[in-house]
Structure formats: structure tokens, C-alpha cells
Amino acid sequence: MHFTWERLTRSVYRCRLPFCDVTIGLIRGATGALLVDSGTTLAEAAAIAADVAELAQCQVTCIVLTHKHFDHVLGSSLFAGAEVYCAPDVIEYLSSATAQIRDDAVRHGANAAEIDRAIAALRRPQHAIYDAMIDLGDRSVTIAHLGRGHTGSDLVVIVPPADDEDGRVVVFTGDLVEESADPALDADSDVAAWPATLDRVLAAGGTDAIYVPGHGKVVDAEFVRRQRDWLSRKAGSAPG
């Protein structure tokens, strides 16, 4: 194995990539494997693909990109046979802002040559969606846009237990929730809307769900509530 995969339920995993502490999610289904986000480089993505083949005994069939930032999207083109789902804004960004993507990645310490390779290989995602259901044979995984926050078009992935297991619901939040640092706020963020979006994330997952941030350790509903409250204070102190 190239990375350390944490088993969240019998058929749901996640790993934390060394670069930027990005979380990658894996849902193994009866008819395929769904990946949540794809890493920064083609080399990272190739290592992820090899790990998935060992863990899931199949290839990646679907990828959900939770938002547009480089550390979550640039590995996606390695998975040539996978159907890629993302918000329409992400497709537009990948098509029109490659210079900005490159600058952002290099500024965060990525290898420029590796970023150039990933950008050159970019393929247009096939599915521009805000909400969708993906059938993995033994369950239907929900993709939902629950409101603005880290960006204007964050997607969450809600994974119910498979038909033959009693596991908990798992919610991959992307960067709507971060554990290893405070939530990242930049020009893409809507701090005023973010707390209400987290309320909807909590409603979708429930009190007992496993919440998987875009960066950091797995958390529970109480952690998400605390982060919501932190963002509420930030929104209240922002200049009008």
C-alpha cells in the first residue's frame, strides 16, 4: 500500500495524503468504487489507484470532486475510465483558470513540473451537478450541494450503510469542515452563509454520523457544531 487507509465502516475508507493533508475517500460497492477527491498530482493519483485496486478489488468507476481547489481535483485525469461528478463552477474553473490553479499549487509548495503534467492531462468532467445519486449496487450514494461556504459550490457525499451491514452513515464534507486547521477562508468563501450550510450538513448526516473533513482527522457532529459556531463568530465580526 502506498498510503495508510483508515477503515470507517466495512466498505468505506479514507486516507490522508502527505501533501496538504488532503483526505481521499473510498466507497467500495457491489458494482464499483467511488472516490471522493483525487489529490494534487498524477503521481499521487496513480498511488491512490493502486491502493484502491488492492482494497476494493476493482477499478475506480466514479469520482466526486468536492470543490475546485487544486489539491482536490488535479489527480482526476489519471482515472481515465471513471465518471467524474462536480459542480458546474468546477468545470468552468478547470477550463478557464489553469494559470491560477498552477500559481495556487506552486505557492503551496507543489512541484511545478508535476503540476504542469497534471494540468496538461486535465479532462473535462462528464457530470456537472449540484445533486445526484450514484448507484453502487448495494447502496445509493448521495451527492448534495447544501449551500455556500468554503466556496460557492461545495459538494458533500453522504454514504449510507450497504444493504448487508449495520454501519453508520458517513459524510464526506470536503473543506466545509477542516480538523487539522481552522477552516480556510479566502475570496471564494461565503462566511455569512457557511454556518447555515453546516446546519444542513448536520441534518443530512444526523447526530451519529461519521463526518470526514477535507483535511484532518475524522470528527463527530459535536465537532461540526463547534466549527459552525466558530464561523458564526467570524461572520459576526466581519466588517459590513
Side-chain angles (χ1 to χ4, degrees):
M1 300 294 286
H2 296 82
F3 301 117
T4 300
W5 292 83
E6 180 181 2
R7 194 172 191 170
L8 305 178
T9 71
R10 185 169 58 77
S11 54
V12 180
Y13 304 79
R14 73 81 175 251
C15 72
R16 294 166 67 176
L17 301 180
F19 182 65
C20 289
D21 192 24
V22 178
T23 285
I24 302 295
L26 169 64
I27 302 98
R28 187 186 72 225
T31 59
L34 186 154
L35 207 63
V36 182
D37 288 328
S38 62
T40 300
T41 67
L42 299 180
E44 275 187 340
I48 292 165
D51 285 357
V52 170
E54 184 173 339
L55 282 171
Q57 299 297 302
C58 68
Q59 303 300 310
V60 173
T61 53
C62 305
I63 299 173
V64 179
L65 303 177
T66 58
H67 61 290
K68 68 183 187 180
H69 292 152
F70 74 91
D71 48 331
H72 297 262
V73 302
L74 285 181
S76 60
S77 296
L78 186 281
F79 301 91
E83 297 288 310
V84 181
Y85 296 76
C86 62
D89 288 358
V90 175
I91 294 179
E92 171 63 23
Y93 189 70
L94 293 177
S95 302
S96 65
T98 53
Q100 183 176 339
I101 292 169
R102 184 186 192 279
D103 289 347
D104 194 21
V106 172
R107 186 171 66 253
H108 281 84
N111 178 279
E114 288 293 312
I115 296 303
D116 289 340
R117 284 184 61 228
I119 289 174
L122 274 175
R123 296 181 298 116
R124 182 181 178 88
Q126 298 96 326
H127 302 282
I129 54 95
Y130 285 114
D131 299 278
M133 299 280 283
I134 297 178
D135 182 6
L136 292 178
D138 53 357
R139 82 192 92 193
S140 292
V141 174
T142 299
I143 309 169
H145 172 59
L146 298 178
R148 298 172 62 85
H150 177 63
T151 73
S153 53
D154 302 284
L155 300 180
V156 301
V157 179
I158 304 162
V159 188
D163 293 339
D164 61 347
E165 66 181 18
D166 297 322
R168 294 154 67 187
V169 173
V170 179
V171 181
F172 289 93
T173 68
D175 286 2
L176 284 170
V177 179
E178 293 195 42
E179 187 278 332
S180 53
D182 289 335
L185 310 177
D186 60 22
D188 294 326
S189 303
D190 188 336
V191 180
W194 202 333
T197 298
L198 289 183
D199 279 332
R200 289 187 283 274
V201 171
L202 288 163
T207 301
D208 296 327
I210 299 168
Y211 292 92
V212 186
H215 305 264
K217 300 175 184 176
V218 168
V219 301
D220 58 12
E222 179 55 33
F223 180 94
V224 179
R225 285 191 285 269
R226 290 198 301 271
Q227 199 147 94
R228 174 203 61 194
D229 295 343
W230 182 90
L231 287 159
S232 293
R233 292 191 294 273
K234 279 285 186 183
S237 64

